[in-house]
Amino acid sequence: MEVGRFAPSTTGRAHAGTLLAALLCWLDARSRKAELWLRLEDLDPDRCRPQWSEGIRDDLAWLGVDFDRIVEQHDLAAQHEAALDRLAEAGLLYPCACSRSSLAEGAVRAPDGSLGYPNRCRGRELARGGWRASCEPLRVRLPDSGIFLRDESGLDLSQQPASSFGDPIVRRRDGAIAYHLAVVVDDAASGVTRVVRGRDLAPSTATQVALQRLLGLPTPVYRHHLLLLEERGEKLAKLHGSAGADVLRASLAAEEVCGFLACAAGLRSAAEPTTPHDLLHDFCWEHAGSEDRVVRFEAGRLELVPAASGGGYPRSP
Ligand code: GLU
């Protein structure tokens, strides 16, 4: 049985980009008769709030996107800890003593525009009490070899993650489990065979595949889709003030938003009101566009606007 998942971070209400990603994930899974999980990624205590988990669930149900299973990532701590135990037993975990400012010195840009980590603390060992006793961030030593893979859309995801991004943090200083480890462990634990997600996450895939290999976990099929962008060229994000679903819902019906998303994704030629179920009968990825679309929400209306020249995601650092 194929299994897909939608895994939003609970850092705000859904915005149009979240709704598009959920819709595409749902269409992919339902068109293949796959099981579909919603995993609410709420491990970052600085940015996630329980009311946003609630809000996102409500926004997705409002759009007409349903799930076979719903899990909250904070309930999955036992499997994250078991993975850290395995990495520690294999001698692959090390504490990182680098300060934020020392990380910035001479750092190279990673493929997503962030600062790469030069693996400076690789020689350090875990303290006596093991990883549980550490009050420093923990990193995992990745093999220096390359990961060669393409996603289902043909996007080349090949990279040497140990040098392009550097060894990832898997447990933060505050004890929170970091994204790359949680995503890999949780996908495997729920038997995920297809990961459908936005193109902003494509550069992370090689690091995640390297972690899967270290943990002996299977690699799912990946597909990365177009993004909705703000007029400044940034991807839509609540952090940058994009209209949340609570605001969209005050002006627009679910069918209108669904029709807009279908048009933005290239699944319909015009933004006529529709539902996820109506889109299902002729859904196939060949109909979907691959170009990112710029979106404006003004005077209670969602509109697609022509991309400004030089725009696009990610912006050059
Ligand atoms: N939680 C991540 C996000 O909202 C996505 C995780 C994933 O799809 O791999 O950006």
Side-chain angles (χ1 to χ4, degrees):
M1 159 81 132
E2 287 191 304
V3 180
R5 52 59 158 190
F6 180 55
S9 298
T10 59
T11 52
R13 289 292 287 261
H15 50 68
T18 324
L19 297 177
L20 176 73
L23 177 65
L24 291 173
C25 219
W26 185 92
L27 289 168
D28 179 81
R30 297 295 181 230
S31 64
R32 313 170 75 90
K33 309 265 182 279
E35 188 174 290
L36 183 60
W37 290 51
L38 173 64
R39 185 173 66 235
L40 295 152
E41 302 212 323
D42 59 358
L43 294 185
D44 183 341
D46 302 331
R47 298 175 59 213
C48 300
R49 299 282 176 272
Q51 67 268 28
W52 289 329
S53 290
E54 280 292 308
I56 290 174
R57 284 173 71 156
D58 192 58
D59 297 334
L60 298 176
W62 171 81
L63 184 67
V65 165
D66 65 340
F67 298 91
D68 303 306
R69 296 279 300 269
I70 300 183
V71 287
E72 293 186 305
Q73 214 165 25
H74 71 261
D75 287 332
L76 309 175
Q79 64 201 35
H80 303 149
E81 289 176 16
L84 284 174
D85 282 337
R86 285 168 61 192
L87 293 170
E89 273 159 31
L92 295 170
L93 281 189
Y94 64 89
C96 181
C98 298
S99 63
R100 209 175 274 261
S101 54
S102 73
L103 283 176
E105 270 166 40
V108 283
R109 287 279 166 193
D112 66 351
S114 66
L115 290 184
Y117 173 66
N119 303 334
R120 219 177 268 148
C121 293
R122 264 193 181 183
R124 297 184 76 225
E125 301 215 341
L126 284 178
R128 254 162 194 255
W131 67 262
R132 286 180 175 79
S134 177
C135 28
E136 292 177 307
L138 299 177
R139 295 185 184 268
V140 63
R141 183 155 46 82
L142 295 183
D144 291 318
S145 50
I147 299 283
F148 300 96
L149 92 151
R150 279 181 190 276
D151 82 358
E152 198 183 54
S153 73
L155 190 64
D156 190 359
L157 305 170
S158 303
Q159 245 183 57
Q160 270 177 288
S163 53
S164 52
F165 278 94
D167 294 338
I169 289 183
V170 287
R171 182 179 184 259
R172 302 180 352 173
R173 187 186 303 279
D174 62 4
I177 303 298
Y179 163 62
H180 289 308
L181 183 70
V183 82
V184 154
V185 168
D186 297 343
D187 281 345
S190 27
V192 165
T193 59
R194 295 183 63 73
V195 170
V196 172
R197 60 186 183 182
R199 204 168 54 77
D200 52 326
L201 293 164
S204 304
T205 312
T207 296
Q208 293 171 11
V209 170
L211 273 174
Q212 284 157 1
R213 293 184 186 171
L214 290 180
L215 288 161
L217 302 175
T219 293
V221 171
Y222 288 94
R223 176 181 278 275
H224 295 89
H225 57 70
L226 82 160
L227 300 175
L228 299 185
L229 304 180
E230 294 184 0
E231 288 173 86
R232 289 176 299 162
E234 306 260 8
K235 65 181 173 142
L236 285 189
K238 197 66 198 302
L239 290 178
H240 303 300
S242 306
D246 43 346
V247 176
L248 300 180
R249 288 170 63 174
S251 317
L252 295 164
E255 292 75 12
E256 290 174 303
V257 172
C258 188
F260 172 82
L261 297 174
C263 176
L267 299 173
R268 290 289 180 270
S269 53
E272 303 288 342
T274 187
T275 65
H277 277 278
D278 287 342
L279 294 170
L280 197 52
H281 73 276
D282 63 347
F283 173 75
C284 71
W285 282 108
E286 285 66 39
H287 295 162
S290 55
E291 294 294 313
D292 295 342
R293 307 300 304 270
V294 179
V295 175
R296 178 190 296 153
F297 179 68
E298 215 170 62
R301 293 187 53 218
L302 274 168
E303 299 175 289
L304 290 171
V305 292
S309 57
Y313 178 85
R315 291 195 310 171
S316 333

